[in-house]
Amino acid sequence: MELAQLCPAAQNAALAKSITGEWDYPGFDQLLKELIAFDQTMDARVRRNLRWMVISIILCVIAFITMFILIGEDYLYSGIAAFVGALANMIRCIQLWRKSKKLALPEASLEMVHGLIRLLRQDLDPKAKITATIDLSGLTDKKKQSIKPMQWAYLDPWCSIRLKLRDGYVALVRQTDTFIETTKTKKGARGKTKSKTKWKKQCRVTARIIPPAPVVWGAPPQVDRVWERHKMVTKNDVSVAVLDRWWAFKQPTDAPTKSPAARDIIGMLFRLCAMRPKEAK
Amino acid sequence: MTCQWQTGLLSPEPCGGLALGSCGSCGQSICMIHSSMGPSGTACPQCANMQPGYEQNEETEMAGARGSYYQQYGTSGYFSKNDESSVNPKKREKNDDFET
Ligand SMILES: [Zn+2]
Ligand SMILES: [Zn+2]
């Protein structure tokens, strides 16, 4: 799907790289479907443009070498012209690749949100709206901060979704990703410096279930002792059930794109919902 | 007769639509939306999800996902044993006095 084919709301979200506001289920579902389709087109374009960029760089190098071979020959001017052409082509290919990369969206994030609302669609209060604040801009310089020399952190609290369930309870899901970028430089035998970048990504999802009125909660949920923490917090005299879960991903060279699956996040909500008193039914 | 199929995942509620038949495997009354056709006749979304040869749709997908949460996180508290048997017909067969 091209940008022009998207509905106005999806166009705005794709360009602003953010989704905000209140949505009814069909509108939100459609928005996410369109953004996922748009991102697939963009990903294919990024791959294609990358291929052309590599070819253009090779052509440019060949033209450059040929130009040198032709020094002192009659065809030197043709060689220079060929090199200039190849150089211009290379610059254009790099620009196109960068442009397509800029338009691509984080697909794992979109798929998580879409999976979440799709499986919970029947639980939603039909009269209530889905409130979402979703930042799709990923790793930007604004989110970057230096921790120590050659190490940077990116803090990305990209997702906040509020769903009102049909039994009056409210489910809140928040996700914050933290990226750590570490660059190590080594001096080789011939004095050449080599640098290696490593990435770590930590995702934290906080799920909350807020009752419509003060309730007596049931037994605490089953939790994974390593990756999960459960607690109760009191807000406006109402006790809220909270479950936190962490995930860790590692990757060399590029920032990890993996993200928690909707399945696991719904599992967190499911366990919190199991704490509701029976009479709520 | 109304459709007994429990809709939803976090806050299950019976569908309540007009039942036009019953599931050939677990016997609950089901409406048009919640029936799938397959080798053993009409089935509810849960039974259609568990048996081969049934066409899968959004309802069977939902039933499969819900069944896996009941399986993984047990059936304590709000999601009681009764609920589990309503979403997990195999268990119901085991608990059914008429069958044994
Ligand atoms: Zn059945
Ligand atoms: Zn039904």
Side-chain angles (χ1 to χ4, degrees), chain A residues 123-125 128 162-172 208-218 232 238-241 269 272-281, chain B residues 10-11 78:
Chain A
D123 296 303
L124 302 176
D125 177 349
R162 185 182 183 276
L163 307 167
K164 186 158 186 232
L165 306 183
R166 57 185 173 185
D167 59 5
Y169 282 73
V170 170
L172 268 173
R208 283 188 185 81
I209 295 289
I210 308 166
V215 291
V216 180
W217 290 98
M232 301 299 300
V238 174
S239 94
V240 175
L269 291 171
L272 291 176
C273 281
M275 293 172 63
R276 287 174 299 184
K278 277 260 168 201
E279 54 276 12
K281 279 190 175 181
Chain B
L10 299 178
S11 53
Y78 184 88

Side-chain angles (χ1 to χ4, degrees), chain A residues 118-123 165-167 222 263 266-267 269-271 273-274 276-278 281, chain B residues 7-13 58-59 61-62 65 68-70 72-73 77-80 83:
Chain A
R118 237 172 66 86
L119 268 179
L120 299 182
R121 66 184 186 278
Q122 292 179 343
D123 296 303
L165 306 183
R166 57 185 173 185
D167 59 5
Q222 179 189 325
R263 221 209 92 78
I266 295 170
L269 291 171
F270 186 86
R271 281 177 284 161
C273 281
R276 287 174 299 184
K278 277 260 168 201
K281 279 190 175 181
Chain B
T7 62
L9 205 155
L10 299 178
S11 53
E13 269 178 25
E58 286 195 335
E59 295 296 333
E61 180 202 3
M62 167 86 81
S68 69
Y69 289 118
Y70 273 91
Q72 194 176 348
Y73 299 117
Y78 184 88
F79 302 108
S80 72
D83 288 328

Side-chain angles (χ1 to χ4, degrees), chain A residues 176-238:
Chain A
T176 299
D177 295 352
T178 309
F179 292 81
I180 306 284
E181 181 187 6
T182 313
T183 303
K184 276 188 182 155
T185 50
K186 262 190 190 171
K187 269 212 166 145
R190 283 181 230 160
K192 265 189 187 174
T193 49
K194 272 185 184 175
S195 69
K196 241 187 185 178
T197 304
K198 274 186 186 170
W199 285 88
K200 267 188 207 165
K201 179 184 183 182
Q202 191 196 59
C203 305
R204 175 186 179 170
V205 172
T206 306
R208 283 188 185 81
I209 295 289
I210 308 166
V215 291
V216 180
W217 290 98
Q222 179 189 325
V223 294
D224 181 313
R225 284 172 177 226
V226 179
W227 296 102
E228 294 178 341
R229 290 284 178 276
H230 162 66
K231 64 181 176 196
M232 301 299 300
V233 296
T234 307
K235 224 179 178 186
N236 306 329
D237 292 331
V238 174

Side-chain angles (χ1 to χ4, degrees), chain A residues 155-166:
Chain A
L155 193 69
D156 190 11
W158 66 272
C159 178
S160 169
I161 300 173
R162 185 182 183 276
L163 307 167
K164 186 158 186 232
L165 306 183
R166 57 185 173 185

Side-chain angles (χ1 to χ4, degrees), chain B residues 12-29:
Chain B
E13 269 178 25
C15 159
L18 181 69
L20 295 174
S22 59
C23 172
S25 304
C26 67
Q28 66 177 316
S29 316

